[in-house]
Amino acid sequence: MEIQKIIKEMTLEEKAGLCSGLDFWHTKPVERLDVPSVMVSDGPHGLRKQDDRADHIGVNESIKAVCFPAGCATASSFDRELMTRLGDALAEECQAEGVGVILGPAINIKRSPLCGRNFEYLSEDPYLAGELAAAYTLAVQKKNIGVSLKHFAANNQEHRRMSSSSDIDERTLREIYLPPFEIAVKKAKPWTVMCSYNRINDVFSSENKWLNTDVLRDEWGFDGYVMTDWGAVADRVTGLKAGIELEMPASGGVHDREIVQAVKNGELDEKILDRACARILEINERYLKNAKSDVVWDKKAHNQLSAEIAEECMVLLKNENNTLPLEKNDSIAFIGEFAEKPRFQGGGSSHINCTETVSALDAVEGYANISYSKGFYIDGDDMDFSLMHEAVEAAQKAKVAVIFAGLPDFYESEGYDRKHMSLPECQNRLIEAVAAVNPNTVVVLHNGSPVSMPWINSVKAVLEAYLSGQAVGQAVIRLLFGDANPCGRLAESFPVKVEDNPSYLFFGGNKERTEYREGVFVGYRYYDKKKMEVLFPFGYGLSYTSYKYENLVIDKEQMNDTDSVKVSVDVKNTGTMTGKEVVQLYVCDLESTEIRPIRELKGFDKVELKPGEKTTVSFVLDKRAFAYYEMKINDWYVESGDFLIQIGSSSRDILLEKKIRVNSTKELPVHYDMNSIFMD
Ligand code: BGC
């Protein structure tokens, strides 16, 4: 039956009922009118489909699925194509399991390394997060499965996530916290968006009309439905009016009755309820009319894909004297329990019940001759002196010592934030002790967010594996032994110490609110402006080969902000191994009267090059690449003047740059300025 007809036939109670879940994971059916229910499931890096013993914090088991690398890892790929492969595989599992919407991607900005859920999120940079989310969304939805962009918006800490107000000025919201969603909505038309638990400037996201209707729908053109995060309802009727169509999960009928009552007493226009129903039914219909029940997905193939994705995400942070790749014939000591039991996913609602896991020890079999010692236990802070002694002895005998370190599971999870940025003391001490006896010490890290590295000068190489999914071991071994070339780049800055982070003084906030006082200076926008030393900068990552950049061309030296500019640059592989380079484009406003970051990422591309091979990478930049959000006009604005277009291999390693003048076509309202009398 046609949707408007169905709505006409529905009773008020049925309509109110449709706007909340049937149970934990389904929308409500209206059997009398042949309206079926549709299942939604987590997300974002694997399918967490639960049966009747459902929960939303990952306690009870879900069906077996492949755990792909988490957001912290996939973002480091800087690779839209890779996100497409991930989205495609996830959608296939959804098709096979009868799930209509996958609850991801999770794209909140990494404001602080301490946010407990950073492992699921993509980046500190809004452009990177948005572009990758758009690629993921397009791929999933191409297979006729919907996504849910989450958590809209400003959910950047877990502490008091259900009540705290994220107090953010509008310019900062527009430039940092909203664009990941904006880009994904405009480029990929997500079927659904999930609102966050928190308040923004005192208003709950689940009641925020400005956010969910004025910005999301009216400005960006969103045409799906907004669902609440699980239990994120404050006042349901206000929420419905604000543009929150679906409450999840079921409310036991309580809020449905409130809706009915509000319509009856004239507080809620029934048309608003009808519109919400239409939006839910339209999306459900999109899924149902093409749902495929005969899809069989290949567990082995998806496990292999998970390994391949992981390989493209890991970041080589240090490699002194070309310690890596390892020689297969060398004597090598593997140390650390993570070699045997890798940590490859985080805790909470994204927790996947994996089809299998591949540890480094599994994967190294038949590869090379290694010794293994546990060194420490992965689930605690306590030193075990006999384990440490054994590890140091093994390291002494070997040519190379590879330590598999990382954060214990309980250090970072949905629901709470980290207290500090350190690895457990037992691991830091073990690394120092091993490095003291073995001059070729390598550290492989398993963590969802930056850690401090007090031992960085004592070790020769560091491979950041992040939380790289169930086949992590396979990827680590191929990278360590040079069967694959590292090509991940950091999607977040690693500060030297957590106190350096711009949000440090205010992160977590008080009982009611968290002030985002650093404004737009998040991540590298802050460190670069302050010229601060960082452990590793945004965009950074090493390779086993080398690249040369030359011939930066811009197709004009001047433009109006209504125009666009084409930029191209040549990149050559000057080393001896095939590799993938991430070309990064930053824009820098040279003469701004507004306070702005030094540079901001406005383009990136990943290219594969054989030794000696050269290619041209091109970008197109329009107004938005040069603009800031001007509160005087409530719009994006380019101040006339000179800008630099910079090409770099990280935010700190700018290799080529060219100047362009951009002229504004918009006048700002003039304010009489006394200061100008005394100025030249
Ligand atoms: C999380 C969401 C998740 C939902 C369902 C919530 O607690 O914040 O990200 O999708 O549970 O599991």
Side-chain angles (χ1 to χ4, degrees), residues 486-518:
C487 60
R489 303 289 181 264
L490 292 179
E492 60 190 328
S493 312
F494 275 47
V496 175
K497 53 187 192 306
V498 70
E499 291 82 358
D500 292 346
N501 178 262
S503 74
Y504 180 73
L505 292 176
F506 309 101
F507 183 74
N510 61 21
K511 280 189 182 155
E512 282 145 34
R513 60 190 67 256
T514 299
E515 294 175 75
Y516 285 47
R517 290 204 196 175
E518 69 284 4

mmCIF file of all heavy atoms in Angstrom, residues 486-518:
data_model
loop_
_atom_site.group_PDB
_atom_site.id
_atom_site.type_symbol
_atom_site.label_atom_id
_atom_site.label_comp_id
_atom_site.label_asym_id
_atom_site.label_seq_id
_atom_site.Cartn_x
_atom_site.Cartn_y
_atom_site.Cartn_z
ATOM 1 N N PRO A 486 54.109 -0.467 5.001
ATOM 2 C CA PRO A 486 53.195 0.352 5.816
ATOM 3 C C PRO A 486 52.743 1.595 5.054
ATOM 4 O O PRO A 486 53.563 2.272 4.433
ATOM 5 C CB PRO A 486 54.047 0.766 7.020
ATOM 6 C CG PRO A 486 55.220 -0.144 7.033
ATOM 7 C CD PRO A 486 55.426 -0.634 5.641
ATOM 8 N N CYS A 487 51.442 1.888 5.116
ATOM 9 C CA CYS A 487 50.959 3.066 4.399
ATOM 10 C C CYS A 487 49.879 3.809 5.175
ATOM 11 O O CYS A 487 49.182 4.640 4.619
ATOM 12 C CB CYS A 487 50.470 2.695 3.008
ATOM 13 S SG CYS A 487 49.126 1.498 3.014
ATOM 14 N N GLY A 488 49.730 3.511 6.470
ATOM 15 C CA GLY A 488 48.780 4.273 7.292
ATOM 16 C C GLY A 488 49.400 5.600 7.702
ATOM 17 O O GLY A 488 50.624 5.734 7.777
ATOM 18 N N ARG A 489 48.546 6.579 7.927
ATOM 19 C CA ARG A 489 48.984 7.902 8.398
ATOM 20 C C ARG A 489 48.096 8.292 9.562
ATOM 21 O O ARG A 489 46.881 8.006 9.533
ATOM 22 C CB ARG A 489 48.831 8.956 7.298
ATOM 23 C CG ARG A 489 49.573 8.659 6.009
ATOM 24 C CD ARG A 489 51.086 8.809 6.174
ATOM 25 N NE ARG A 489 51.792 8.552 4.930
ATOM 26 C CZ ARG A 489 52.336 7.382 4.588
ATOM 27 N NH1 ARG A 489 52.250 6.346 5.402
ATOM 28 N NH2 ARG A 489 52.960 7.251 3.448
ATOM 29 N N LEU A 490 48.656 8.974 10.553
ATOM 30 C CA LEU A 490 47.867 9.271 11.750
ATOM 31 C C LEU A 490 46.695 10.209 11.451
ATOM 32 O O LEU A 490 46.892 11.296 10.908
ATOM 33 C CB LEU A 490 48.748 9.907 12.823
ATOM 34 C CG LEU A 490 49.811 9.000 13.442
ATOM 35 C CD1 LEU A 490 50.627 9.779 14.475
ATOM 36 C CD2 LEU A 490 49.195 7.752 14.076
ATOM 37 N N ALA A 491 45.521 9.771 11.849
ATOM 38 C CA ALA A 491 44.330 10.601 11.686
ATOM 39 C C ALA A 491 44.124 11.465 12.929
ATOM 40 O O ALA A 491 43.093 12.119 13.086
ATOM 41 C CB ALA A 491 43.112 9.719 11.448
ATOM 42 N N GLU A 492 45.108 11.427 13.817
ATOM 43 C CA GLU A 492 45.055 12.219 15.056
ATOM 44 C C GLU A 492 46.483 12.510 15.495
ATOM 45 O O GLU A 492 47.400 11.739 15.198
ATOM 46 C CB GLU A 492 44.337 11.437 16.156
ATOM 47 C CG GLU A 492 45.031 10.121 16.499
ATOM 48 C CD GLU A 492 44.215 9.218 17.403
ATOM 49 O OE1 GLU A 492 43.459 9.737 18.230
ATOM 50 O OE2 GLU A 492 44.350 7.988 17.272
ATOM 51 N N SER A 493 46.670 13.636 16.181
ATOM 52 C CA SER A 493 48.000 13.966 16.696
ATOM 53 C C SER A 493 48.289 13.114 17.928
ATOM 54 O O SER A 493 47.379 12.811 18.699
ATOM 55 C CB SER A 493 48.057 15.428 17.141
ATOM 56 O OG SER A 493 47.520 16.275 16.165
ATOM 57 N N PHE A 494 49.542 12.764 18.107
ATOM 58 C CA PHE A 494 49.976 12.147 19.357
ATOM 59 C C PHE A 494 50.718 13.225 20.155
ATOM 60 O O PHE A 494 51.847 13.574 19.817
ATOM 61 C CB PHE A 494 50.935 10.976 19.086
ATOM 62 C CG PHE A 494 50.249 9.671 18.813
ATOM 63 C CD1 PHE A 494 49.193 9.585 17.925
ATOM 64 C CD2 PHE A 494 50.682 8.500 19.445
ATOM 65 C CE1 PHE A 494 48.562 8.363 17.664
ATOM 66 C CE2 PHE A 494 50.070 7.280 19.200
ATOM 67 C CZ PHE A 494 49.005 7.210 18.310
ATOM 68 N N PRO A 495 50.092 13.793 21.193
ATOM 69 C CA PRO A 495 50.822 14.785 21.989
ATOM 70 C C PRO A 495 51.923 14.109 22.798
ATOM 71 O O PRO A 495 51.874 12.892 23.026
ATOM 72 C CB PRO A 495 49.748 15.358 22.908
ATOM 73 C CG PRO A 495 48.681 14.326 22.972
ATOM 74 C CD PRO A 495 48.745 13.533 21.704
ATOM 75 N N VAL A 496 52.919 14.899 23.225
ATOM 76 C CA VAL A 496 53.981 14.311 24.054
ATOM 77 C C VAL A 496 53.365 13.815 25.363
ATOM 78 O O VAL A 496 53.640 12.720 25.830
ATOM 79 C CB VAL A 496 55.083 15.364 24.340
ATOM 80 C CG1 VAL A 496 56.122 14.804 25.310
ATOM 81 C CG2 VAL A 496 55.727 15.809 23.030
ATOM 82 N N LYS A 497 52.536 14.664 25.940
ATOM 83 C CA LYS A 497 51.855 14.259 27.181
ATOM 84 C C LYS A 497 50.411 14.758 27.134
ATOM 85 O O LYS A 497 50.113 15.732 26.424
ATOM 86 C CB LYS A 497 52.582 14.793 28.409
ATOM 87 C CG LYS A 497 52.830 16.284 28.382
ATOM 88 C CD LYS A 497 53.708 16.695 29.559
ATOM 89 C CE LYS A 497 53.757 18.193 29.758
ATOM 90 N NZ LYS A 497 54.141 18.998 28.590
ATOM 91 N N VAL A 498 49.551 14.135 27.870
ATOM 92 C CA VAL A 498 48.118 14.456 27.774
ATOM 93 C C VAL A 498 47.843 15.905 28.155
ATOM 94 O O VAL A 498 46.935 16.551 27.629
ATOM 95 C CB VAL A 498 47.276 13.460 28.600
ATOM 96 C CG1 VAL A 498 47.478 13.642 30.101
ATOM 97 C CG2 VAL A 498 45.809 13.571 28.220
ATOM 98 N N GLU A 499 48.665 16.460 29.055
ATOM 99 C CA GLU A 499 48.470 17.849 29.504
ATOM 100 C C GLU A 499 48.634 18.840 28.351
ATOM 101 O O GLU A 499 48.212 19.984 28.443
ATOM 102 C CB GLU A 499 49.471 18.204 30.621
ATOM 103 C CG GLU A 499 49.240 17.491 31.939
ATOM 104 C CD GLU A 499 49.817 16.083 31.968
ATOM 105 O OE1 GLU A 499 50.381 15.625 30.941
ATOM 106 O OE2 GLU A 499 49.694 15.423 33.020
ATOM 107 N N ASP A 500 49.296 18.421 27.270
ATOM 108 C CA ASP A 500 49.470 19.324 26.121
ATOM 109 C C ASP A 500 48.193 19.484 25.312
ATOM 110 O O ASP A 500 48.061 20.418 24.532
ATOM 111 C CB ASP A 500 50.541 18.763 25.160
ATOM 112 C CG ASP A 500 51.926 18.785 25.781
ATOM 113 O OD1 ASP A 500 52.090 19.460 26.821
ATOM 114 O OD2 ASP A 500 52.831 18.139 25.230
ATOM 115 N N ASN A 501 47.272 18.561 25.455
ATOM 116 C CA ASN A 501 46.058 18.605 24.633
ATOM 117 C C ASN A 501 45.234 19.860 24.940
ATOM 118 O O ASN A 501 45.045 20.212 26.095
ATOM 119 C CB ASN A 501 45.229 17.329 24.887
ATOM 120 C CG ASN A 501 43.947 17.346 24.094
ATOM 121 O OD1 ASN A 501 42.890 17.688 24.601
ATOM 122 N ND2 ASN A 501 44.041 17.017 22.820
ATOM 123 N N PRO A 502 44.758 20.545 23.884
ATOM 124 C CA PRO A 502 44.077 21.824 24.104
ATOM 125 C C PRO A 502 42.829 21.748 24.978
ATOM 126 O O PRO A 502 42.428 22.741 25.571
ATOM 127 C CB PRO A 502 43.696 22.266 22.685
ATOM 128 C CG PRO A 502 43.823 21.058 21.828
ATOM 129 C CD PRO A 502 44.894 20.227 22.457
ATOM 130 N N SER A 503 42.206 20.572 25.071
ATOM 131 C CA SER A 503 40.982 20.481 25.876
ATOM 132 C C SER A 503 41.297 20.064 27.319
ATOM 133 O O SER A 503 40.379 19.921 28.128
ATOM 134 C CB SER A 503 40.031 19.456 25.252
ATOM 135 O OG SER A 503 40.498 18.149 25.493
ATOM 136 N N TYR A 504 42.570 19.861 27.610
ATOM 137 C CA TYR A 504 42.952 19.213 28.869
ATOM 138 C C TYR A 504 42.301 19.839 30.107
ATOM 139 O O TYR A 504 41.794 19.145 30.970
ATOM 140 C CB TYR A 504 44.484 19.200 29.016
ATOM 141 C CG TYR A 504 44.921 18.550 30.297
ATOM 142 C CD1 TYR A 504 44.827 17.170 30.455
ATOM 143 C CD2 TYR A 504 45.358 19.311 31.376
ATOM 144 C CE1 TYR A 504 45.180 16.560 31.642
ATOM 145 C CE2 TYR A 504 45.714 18.714 32.564
ATOM 146 C CZ TYR A 504 45.622 17.342 32.701
ATOM 147 O OH TYR A 504 45.968 16.743 33.868
ATOM 148 N N LEU A 505 42.327 21.185 30.188
ATOM 149 C CA LEU A 505 41.844 21.835 31.418
ATOM 150 C C LEU A 505 40.343 21.653 31.624
ATOM 151 O O LEU A 505 39.854 21.720 32.744
ATOM 152 C CB LEU A 505 42.166 23.329 31.387
ATOM 153 C CG LEU A 505 43.646 23.680 31.475
ATOM 154 C CD1 LEU A 505 43.824 25.193 31.342
ATOM 155 C CD2 LEU A 505 44.262 23.190 32.774
ATOM 156 N N PHE A 506 39.620 21.431 30.545
ATOM 157 C CA PHE A 506 38.155 21.426 30.654
ATOM 158 C C PHE A 506 37.519 20.095 30.296
ATOM 159 O O PHE A 506 36.319 19.917 30.465
ATOM 160 C CB PHE A 506 37.575 22.532 29.747
ATOM 161 C CG PHE A 506 38.244 23.842 29.989
ATOM 162 C CD1 PHE A 506 39.219 24.315 29.125
ATOM 163 C CD2 PHE A 506 37.956 24.558 31.129
ATOM 164 C CE1 PHE A 506 39.873 25.499 29.394
ATOM 165 C CE2 PHE A 506 38.610 25.752 31.403
ATOM 166 C CZ PHE A 506 39.569 26.227 30.531
ATOM 167 N N PHE A 507 38.304 19.158 29.784
ATOM 168 C CA PHE A 507 37.754 17.871 29.350
ATOM 169 C C PHE A 507 37.050 17.182 30.523
ATOM 170 O O PHE A 507 37.554 17.150 31.643
ATOM 171 C CB PHE A 507 38.857 16.976 28.789
ATOM 172 C CG PHE A 507 38.336 15.677 28.256
ATOM 173 C CD1 PHE A 507 37.651 15.637 27.050
ATOM 174 C CD2 PHE A 507 38.479 14.501 28.982
ATOM 175 C CE1 PHE A 507 37.128 14.444 26.567
ATOM 176 C CE2 PHE A 507 37.969 13.304 28.506
ATOM 177 C CZ PHE A 507 37.293 13.278 27.294
ATOM 178 N N GLY A 508 35.903 16.631 30.257
ATOM 179 C CA GLY A 508 35.153 15.950 31.325
ATOM 180 C C GLY A 508 34.172 16.885 31.985
ATOM 181 O O GLY A 508 33.062 16.508 32.327
ATOM 182 N N GLY A 509 34.589 18.137 32.184
ATOM 183 C CA GLY A 509 33.711 19.164 32.723
ATOM 184 C C GLY A 509 33.321 18.943 34.170
ATOM 185 O O GLY A 509 33.918 18.123 34.879
ATOM 186 N N ASN A 510 32.305 19.687 34.597
ATOM 187 C CA ASN A 510 31.798 19.481 35.957
ATOM 188 C C ASN A 510 30.569 18.582 35.878
ATOM 189 O O ASN A 510 30.364 17.903 34.881
ATOM 190 C CB ASN A 510 31.519 20.832 36.636
ATOM 191 C CG ASN A 510 30.456 21.631 35.885
ATOM 192 O OD1 ASN A 510 29.664 21.075 35.126
ATOM 193 N ND2 ASN A 510 30.437 22.928 36.086
ATOM 194 N N LYS A 511 29.745 18.616 36.901
ATOM 195 C CA LYS A 511 28.612 17.678 36.930
ATOM 196 C C LYS A 511 27.619 17.937 35.807
ATOM 197 O O LYS A 511 26.880 17.052 35.394
ATOM 198 C CB LYS A 511 27.879 17.807 38.261
ATOM 199 C CG LYS A 511 28.566 17.062 39.365
ATOM 200 C CD LYS A 511 27.679 17.042 40.580
ATOM 201 C CE LYS A 511 28.400 16.332 41.704
ATOM 202 N NZ LYS A 511 27.924 16.733 43.004
ATOM 203 N N GLU A 512 27.561 19.177 35.359
ATOM 204 C CA GLU A 512 26.520 19.519 34.385
ATOM 205 C C GLU A 512 26.997 19.753 32.972
ATOM 206 O O GLU A 512 26.276 19.537 32.024
ATOM 207 C CB GLU A 512 25.805 20.801 34.822
ATOM 208 C CG GLU A 512 24.820 20.592 35.907
ATOM 209 C CD GLU A 512 24.790 21.777 36.841
ATOM 210 O OE1 GLU A 512 24.978 22.904 36.373
ATOM 211 O OE2 GLU A 512 24.613 21.527 38.052
ATOM 212 N N ARG A 513 28.230 20.282 32.856
ATOM 213 C CA ARG A 513 28.615 20.746 31.516
ATOM 214 C C ARG A 513 30.103 20.632 31.258
ATOM 215 O O ARG A 513 30.905 20.569 32.180
ATOM 216 C CB ARG A 513 28.168 22.190 31.321
ATOM 217 C CG ARG A 513 28.746 23.190 32.304
ATOM 218 C CD ARG A 513 28.043 24.531 32.165
ATOM 219 N NE ARG A 513 26.637 24.470 32.577
ATOM 220 C CZ ARG A 513 25.609 24.454 31.734
ATOM 221 N NH1 ARG A 513 25.820 24.556 30.455
ATOM 222 N NH2 ARG A 513 24.383 24.355 32.178
ATOM 223 N N THR A 514 30.436 20.615 29.970
ATOM 224 C CA THR A 514 31.831 20.650 29.550
ATOM 225 C C THR A 514 31.999 21.808 28.592
ATOM 226 O O THR A 514 31.307 21.877 27.572
ATOM 227 C CB THR A 514 32.192 19.345 28.808
ATOM 228 O OG1 THR A 514 32.001 18.269 29.705
ATOM 229 C CG2 THR A 514 33.627 19.355 28.349
ATOM 230 N N GLU A 515 32.872 22.708 28.945
ATOM 231 C CA GLU A 515 33.079 23.872 28.074
ATOM 232 C C GLU A 515 34.170 23.565 27.057
ATOM 233 O O GLU A 515 35.253 23.115 27.422
ATOM 234 C CB GLU A 515 33.469 25.074 28.914
ATOM 235 C CG GLU A 515 32.341 25.517 29.824
ATOM 236 C CD GLU A 515 32.785 26.643 30.730
ATOM 237 O OE1 GLU A 515 32.904 27.769 30.267
ATOM 238 O OE2 GLU A 515 33.042 26.346 31.910
ATOM 239 N N TYR A 516 33.862 23.846 25.809
ATOM 240 C CA TYR A 516 34.823 23.590 24.733
ATOM 241 C C TYR A 516 35.598 24.889 24.493
ATOM 242 O O TYR A 516 35.503 25.505 23.432
ATOM 243 C CB TYR A 516 34.082 23.159 23.467
ATOM 244 C CG TYR A 516 33.549 21.734 23.491
ATOM 245 C CD1 TYR A 516 32.847 21.234 24.581
ATOM 246 C CD2 TYR A 516 33.728 20.897 22.393
ATOM 247 C CE1 TYR A 516 32.341 19.936 24.578
ATOM 248 C CE2 TYR A 516 33.228 19.587 22.380
ATOM 249 C CZ TYR A 516 32.531 19.131 23.481
ATOM 250 O OH TYR A 516 32.029 17.849 23.476
ATOM 251 N N ARG A 517 36.364 25.283 25.519
ATOM 252 C CA ARG A 517 36.961 26.623 25.482
ATOM 253 C C ARG A 517 38.056 26.780 24.443
ATOM 254 O O ARG A 517 38.413 27.886 24.072
ATOM 255 C CB ARG A 517 37.548 26.973 26.852
ATOM 256 C CG ARG A 517 36.499 27.190 27.884
ATOM 257 C CD ARG A 517 37.041 28.064 28.978
ATOM 258 N NE ARG A 517 36.192 27.988 30.144
ATOM 259 C CZ ARG A 517 36.477 28.576 31.285
ATOM 260 N NH1 ARG A 517 37.591 29.246 31.420
ATOM 261 N NH2 ARG A 517 35.637 28.466 32.295
ATOM 262 N N GLU A 518 38.627 25.667 23.992
ATOM 263 C CA GLU A 518 39.693 25.766 22.981
ATOM 264 C C GLU A 518 39.119 26.145 21.618
ATOM 265 O O GLU A 518 39.870 26.426 20.682
ATOM 266 C CB GLU A 518 40.478 24.453 22.892
ATOM 267 C CG GLU A 518 39.730 23.254 22.303
ATOM 268 C CD GLU A 518 38.722 22.628 23.259
ATOM 269 O OE1 GLU A 518 38.538 23.154 24.362
ATOM 270 O OE2 GLU A 518 38.103 21.602 22.898
#
